[in-house]
Amino acid sequence: MVKELSTITICLFFLALTGCSSTHQVEIKPVEIKPIHITIDVNVKVDKALDDFFGDIDAAEDQLEEDKGE
């Protein structure tokens, strides 16, 4: 009786172990690297726009400095 009970217990233990285990397969594709085109002239355009916008103020400031120097 004890032998049968221990056999059933061991069988239930292994059944529980196989029921709890799982396997997963993850597929990793190779990484593709492509060239990137970056435009950098944005800062140059902003600088030029600021120079155009404040150009008359800078010219007036230069004129004032020249007048003070005389």
Side-chain angles (χ1 to χ4, degrees):
M1 176 76 177
V2 175
K3 189 175 181 179
E4 292 174 357
L5 186 61
S6 64
T7 305
I8 292 173
T9 305
I10 291 172
C11 287
L12 288 174
F13 177 74
F14 283 115
L15 282 173
L17 281 179
T18 57
C20 292
S21 69
S22 63
T23 56
H24 300 281
Q25 189 172 16
V26 178
E27 184 176 321
I28 298 173
K29 294 180 181 177
V31 177
E32 184 178 343
I33 299 173
K34 294 181 178 179
I36 300 172
H37 179 74
I38 299 174
T39 304
I40 303 175
D41 62 344
V42 172
N43 289 335
V44 174
K45 288 180 180 178
V46 170
D47 262 352
K48 186 173 181 188
L50 287 174
D51 285 343
D52 291 344
F53 185 77
F54 293 112
D56 56 341
I57 295 173
D58 290 337
E61 183 179 333
D62 290 341
Q63 183 68 28
L64 286 174
E65 288 180 6
E66 287 179 8
D67 291 343
K68 285 182 182 179
E70 291 180 0

